[in-house]
Amino acid sequence: MELPHNLGRRVGILGGTFDPVHNGHLAIAEAVRQALALSGLLFIPAFLPPHKPTYTISPFVQRAAMLELAVVDRPGFFVSLLEAEREGPSYSIDTLRTLRQTLGEEVHLFFIIGMDAFAEIHTWKANRELLDHASFVVIGRPDHCQQSCGQTVAANFPGYTFVAAHGSWQGEPGQGAIYPLIVPPMKVSSTEIREAIRQGRPVRDLVPATVADYIEAYGMYR
Ligand code: ATP
């Protein structure tokens, strides 16, 4: 599997369906990069998202192409197609194992996850092992706060305690931390964008211009 050679040692991972990528995704990525001093950030489109309802998801190549267009002028942001190299559903644990093997033990991985997804972490495959490979960065959306993050930590990761000096929950030495991060709310979702296009409303304020051009050129989401 190929990865950019200039990722550095503090690498953020933002997985998703990205159907399409939008300004909310980019704002989160930028906020986490700054808050945790990341050296690089990988956007990883899911080949077969295991947690999505069964609407017709756009082809992987198109979702990946839009991501490539979105990061092209953003140094330090990269797209990884590693989930396309596996068959079957795209489980985060498999992705983290692959990244750990490829990047080695020296690299600190930061797995970025929305608060809504984190609240469902009990349904994820091998969820405790995730923290053997990466720290979590849990993004608070407007209607969520550190308290609900704390409840999820307590329910799923016993042994983790909040350490104020680090601003994170910490487990055993060698295990990843869990960082809550409140990002200024951006009321945008891929669902809203698909819906807007279907209704003929403009989406140029919600996605990078190159992505809007691509959507138009290929007549997506009509
Ligand atoms: P959909 O509307 O199709 O469910 P989405 O906009 O939530 O899509 P995904 O590709 O599923 O996009 O998102 C990838 C990650 O980005 C998820 O962890 C999700 O929680 C997070 N995310 C998406 N939009 C926002 C937003 N506006 N603010 C904060 N987090 C977001």
Side-chain angles (χ1 to χ4, degrees):
M1 183 197 51
E2 268 192 55
L3 285 173
H5 56 88
N6 49 345
L7 268 176
R9 293 206 170 179
R10 291 174 69 81
V11 177
I13 302 158
L14 182 57
T17 311
F18 301 113
D19 193 15
V21 60
H22 55 67
N23 292 343
H25 296 130
L26 295 166
I28 296 164
E30 197 49 63
V32 179
R33 161 151 72 182
Q34 281 181 27
L36 290 156
L38 299 183
S39 50
L41 195 141
L42 288 174
F43 290 82
I44 307 187
F47 187 62
L48 282 178
H51 299 286
K52 285 278 165 173
T54 53
Y55 78 90
T56 323
I57 297 167
S58 303
F60 180 83
V61 285
Q62 290 196 313
R63 293 183 285 117
M66 291 188 285
L67 270 174
E68 295 282 5
L69 290 169
V71 303
V72 81
D73 56 352
R74 291 177 168 83
F77 286 4
F78 306 94
V79 181
S80 168
L81 306 184
L82 80 91
E83 294 196 348
E85 293 167 16
R86 282 199 310 261
E87 293 191 4
S90 308
Y91 291 112
S92 297
I93 188 62
D94 301 324
T95 300
L96 286 181
R97 284 177 188 150
T98 303
L99 286 172
R100 178 54 69 210
Q101 269 171 16
T102 312
L103 293 169
E105 293 299 321
E106 301 290 285
V107 169
H108 194 153
L109 296 173
F110 294 87
F111 184 79
I112 304 163
I113 179 172
M115 182 61 228
D116 49 352
F118 187 60
E120 299 296 318
I121 198 79
H122 58 278
T123 65
W124 288 34
K125 183 181 163 190
N127 56 13
R128 290 184 197 197
E129 194 199 319
L130 294 169
L131 285 160
D132 292 342
H133 304 298
S135 288
F136 278 12
V137 184
V138 183
I139 305 298
R141 288 208 195 187
D143 49 345
H144 290 98
C145 60
Q146 188 167 330
Q147 198 187 350
S148 50
C149 188
Q151 285 166 1
T152 304
V153 173
N156 294 279
F157 305 107
Y160 271 74
T161 47
F162 193 77
V163 181
H166 295 272
S168 64
W169 284 272
Q170 306 270 331
E172 299 278 313
Q175 281 189 301
I178 303 172
Y179 296 87
L181 190 68
I182 303 290
V183 173
M186 272 208 84
K187 234 187 125 295
V188 50
S189 70
S190 302
T191 304
E192 179 196 332
I193 291 166
R194 294 192 301 271
E195 193 58 31
I197 294 169
R198 205 167 294 129
Q199 297 172 358
R201 285 185 280 124
V203 295
R204 292 213 164 248
D205 290 348
L206 307 176
V207 299
T210 48
V211 173
D213 291 343
Y214 184 98
I215 291 172
E216 264 176 42
Y218 287 90
M220 296 180 73
Y221 310 122
R222 295 255 177 81

